[in-house]
Amino acid sequence: MTETSHHEDVSAANKVKLVLAWTFVGIPLLWGVFNTLAKAALLFQ
């Protein structure tokens, strides 16, 4: 009985799409976290 692997090689175009997708998600996420921490810091002054 042979076991087959369903792993595919990730092409360069897919890597670029992945990086762009994480950039579009990550930048607003980091901005929101930064703003939240900055406003929370004001509460503890």
Side-chain angles (χ1 to χ4, degrees):
M1 183 175 206
T2 61
E3 192 171 321
T4 59
S5 177
H6 295 292
H7 295 280
E8 295 180 16
D9 291 332
V10 178
S11 69
N14 284 340
K15 288 181 185 178
V16 170
K17 289 178 186 178
L18 183 64
V19 168
L20 287 175
W22 274 108
T23 301
F24 285 130
V25 170
I27 290 174
L29 179 65
L30 290 175
W31 181 257
V33 169
F34 174 77
N35 283 329
T36 301
L37 292 175
K39 290 184 181 190
L42 292 174
L43 293 173
F44 295 103
Q45 285 185 352

